[in-house]
Amino acid sequence: MLAGKVVLLTGASRGIGRVIAQKLAEEQAIVVGVARSQHGLEALCQTIQDAGGKATGIAWDLSDIHLLSDLIAQVEAQVGAVDILINNAGLEIYRAFQDYSAAELQAVLNVNLLAAMELARLVLPGMIQRQSGHLVNIASNAAKKGHPFDSVYSASKAGLLMWGDAVRQELRHTDVAISTLCPGYVEQCGMLVDTGVPAPQLAGTSTPEAVAAAVIHAIQYNQAEIVINKDVVSAHITKLMFALCQFSPRLGDAIYRAIGIPQLNQRRIEHRRQSPRSPQPEFVKD
Ligand SMILES: NC(=O)c1ccc[n+]([C@@H]2O[C@H](COP(=O)([O-])OP(=O)(O)OC[C@H]3O[C@@H](n4cnc5c(N)ncnc54)[C@H](OP(=O)(O)O)[C@@H]3O)[C@@H](O)[C@H]2O)c1
């Protein structure tokens, strides 16, 4: 099903995106990875090509959404029309809300939400015309219930989820599908691991491989939304918890405190303050 399809994958230079890219290439998709790091993309493409897959990288900063039509033009000139768009690039900055700068608000919303929307807006007409296409948005558990001290990220991910939900309904009579994935904390690599502060035990963690497998599953079975946790049972418990949070937000707040989510994000702010020289992924550029 994925063989020969052109997949535009953002955030491919490191973390979960790398693993998604490798999984897509194993399925014989033609992967076009986008991120700022030329070095990260080259390393990924080499790994995929060494394993017999097809991949190319385009180093691009997604934060200026007015330039994304140039990116799509470059992709189409290099490999052809985009069959599948995976909006995976993400940026997370922990702060008490009043401590964010205006530039930080803009940066998180641009990368996590507006770039995803703009890329979709640019590729959708072609997909509708060709009567085939799939958009996959990598949101987060933070899309379902706000994470304190990570409020802007939560807003961006909730926006991604609701935007995808609305457009999926608009596309009902077309052959274009939209899936949104909501992973919980991911171990082994990615933005959680990079903070150096582990997730609370009660929250459960999943793996980058589980997220990559969910991407493939979402495309193959046209899944509207997938919540990802350690295993199927934990994912169902997580969904039940979100249903409770809908029913009573304050009960949800208490559950989040019991799990340790606000405490985790406060520890991340503190950890960053104590080790200001530690890498700050959001500002990493080659
Ligand atoms: N890790 C988790 O626990 C977790 C949990 C739930 C959801 N998620 C979501 O999963 C996705 C991947 O997360 P991750 O953990 O793999 O994060 P990560 O390791 O921090 O990687 C983020 C990716 O986004 C790219 N990116 C960031 N800003 C960019 C920009 N301005 N222009 C182009 N690319 C940009 C980065 O590449 P460059 O720096 O090279 O530009 C990198 O490839 C994100 O959407 C995240 O919100 C992660």
Side-chain angles (χ1 to χ4, degrees), residues 11-17 34-37 60-63 88-91 111 138-140 153 157 183-186 189-192 194 281 284:
S13 62
R14 58 192 157 87
I16 300 168
V34 172
R36 291 164 301 178
S37 166
W60 203 280
D61 188 341
L62 296 168
S63 53
N88 166 73
L91 168 59
V111 174
I138 310 295
S140 161
Y153 177 84
K157 294 297 185 177
Y185 296 114
V186 176
C189 65
M191 50 175 61
L192 167 74
D194 291 342
V284 170

Side-chain angles (χ1 to χ4, degrees), residues 19 125 128 143 209 247 250:
V19 181
I128 293 170
E209 286 75 17
F247 189 70
R250 285 195 199 286

